[in-house]
Amino acid sequence: MLANSQFAGLSDLSFKSALVIYVIALAASLVFYGLLQSAKEKQRELVGAGGPPMDESAASASGETGSRAEKFAGMTTALVWLGVVIQFVSIILRGFSTGRFPFGNMYEYISMISAFTMLLAAFVITRTKVASFWPWILAPIVALMFYGGTQLYVSAGPLNPALKSFWLPFHVSTVSIGASIGMFSGVASILYLLKRWKPDVFPLSILPSADKIDRIAYQLAVWCLPVFGLGIVLGALWAESAWGRPWGWDPKETFSLITWVMYAAYLHIRATPAWRKTAAWINIVALGTMLFNLFVINLVVSGLHSYAGV
């Protein structure tokens, strides 16, 4: 089936528009950081250098500068929600243009995983009121989308025959959601360690307490483990129907399993009081294996999943 050029063009335009909106949101979040730091400094002058440490919400409430900071925080969140809607429109239009689920190559996969990550981030940050997370989430997503949209872009077209399967939308969408949750959790663990290391140094001083960041990382990982695990199981069912075996220790299968085991280890170690403060390192290792699987295994290593590359 030939691609519908009109839908394909609108999909590409929507992808680029979402990327531009995320860049503007990143700029707004950096202004928010600057204003919030200024508000904190003004509040320190009022309460004295020996006053208690302030978190994001306390500094936000400090005078006119804090009020402006809150406006930029709200602007960032609103822009992200708009970008998420436009990015999912891009994914839907890509599917309409080809008459298939848009999970057929690395460009489409990166678009999907970045969209799910931003949707998750918008939901979590809105619910937990930690707008100070935005620069740390937006910066890598903007970089990922720019790389995917320039270096990995593939024109809309028919699906590779090897990918034609009933299991494709279920396996890839579930893995994408699980990976998105895991990546957000991993970033949170990095911020947790940085906050513990230098809690009063800008820009880390803008972040909420280390304990709150750690709770967010943990709660995300609790969801990542079963969702990503389900994605692996669905992949095994697909492998059984396609290759006559559910598991073959293909590089992508192997690193997916390693990543899942790392998340399980993180949850177990964090639940152990004596090791709780070191558990974040395991979560960061899981993030590393996730990214290694995404880029190196998909684009460099030869295996049964190589057809999912560029």
Side-chain angles (χ1 to χ4, degrees), residues 1 28 75 94 100 107 111 116 139-140 189 226 232-234 255 289 304 309:
M1 175 181 175
M75 183 189 304
R94 181 82 168 190
R100 59 172 175 80
Y107 165 72
S111 179
F116 278 131
S189 284
I232 294 174
V233 171
L234 291 171
F255 268 89
T289 58
L304 292 173

Side-chain angles (χ1 to χ4, degrees), residues 2-211:
L2 296 177
N4 183 305
S5 59
Q6 183 176 5
F7 281 145
L10 289 173
S11 173
D12 293 346
L13 179 60
S14 298
F15 180 90
K16 294 173 184 176
S17 299
L19 178 56
V20 170
I21 290 171
Y22 291 149
V23 171
I24 297 172
L26 175 59
S29 71
L30 294 176
V31 173
F32 161 68
Y33 255 57
L35 291 172
L36 199 57
Q37 179 65 11
S38 177
K40 286 167 68 78
E41 290 173 356
K42 288 181 179 180
Q43 192 175 51
R44 284 195 188 98
E45 293 174 0
L46 293 174
V47 302
M54 293 170 291
D55 60 13
E56 174 188 337
S57 59
S60 297
S62 177
E64 182 180 350
T65 304
S67 177
R68 290 173 59 202
E70 289 181 339
K71 290 179 180 178
F72 273 93
M75 183 189 304
T76 301
T77 302
L79 284 168
V80 169
W81 277 112
L82 176 61
V84 167
V85 171
I86 293 176
Q87 192 172 3
F88 274 104
V89 168
S90 170
I91 293 169
I92 293 169
L93 288 172
R94 181 82 168 190
F96 283 157
S97 72
T98 56
R100 59 172 175 80
F101 284 94
F103 306 153
N105 50 64
M106 278 295 291
Y107 165 72
E108 294 174 357
Y109 182 67
I110 282 180
S111 179
M112 177 68 68
I113 201 170
S114 59
F116 278 131
T117 301
M118 293 310 298
L119 176 63
L120 174 69
F123 175 78
V124 172
I125 290 174
T126 300
R127 186 168 180 237
T128 59
K129 302 185 186 303
V130 285
S132 54
F133 268 34
W134 276 131
W136 307 91
I137 299 296
L138 280 163
I141 289 298
V142 165
L144 179 63
M145 288 182 64
F146 180 79
Y147 177 73
T150 55
Q151 302 302 311
L152 301 178
Y153 176 77
V154 177
S155 298
L159 193 66
N160 186 315
L163 292 173
K164 292 181 178 179
S165 171
F166 163 82
W167 296 105
L168 172 65
F170 303 103
H171 167 60
V172 179
S173 59
T174 305
V175 167
S176 298
I177 295 171
S180 300
I181 300 171
M183 288 196 292
F184 192 177
S185 177
V187 170
S189 284
I190 292 174
L191 295 180
Y192 162 70
L193 291 176
L194 290 173
K195 183 71 174 182
R196 278 183 51 199
W197 177 47
K198 296 286 186 180
D200 299 321
V201 174
F202 181 79
L204 300 175
S205 59
I206 305 299
L207 293 168
S209 68
D211 287 342

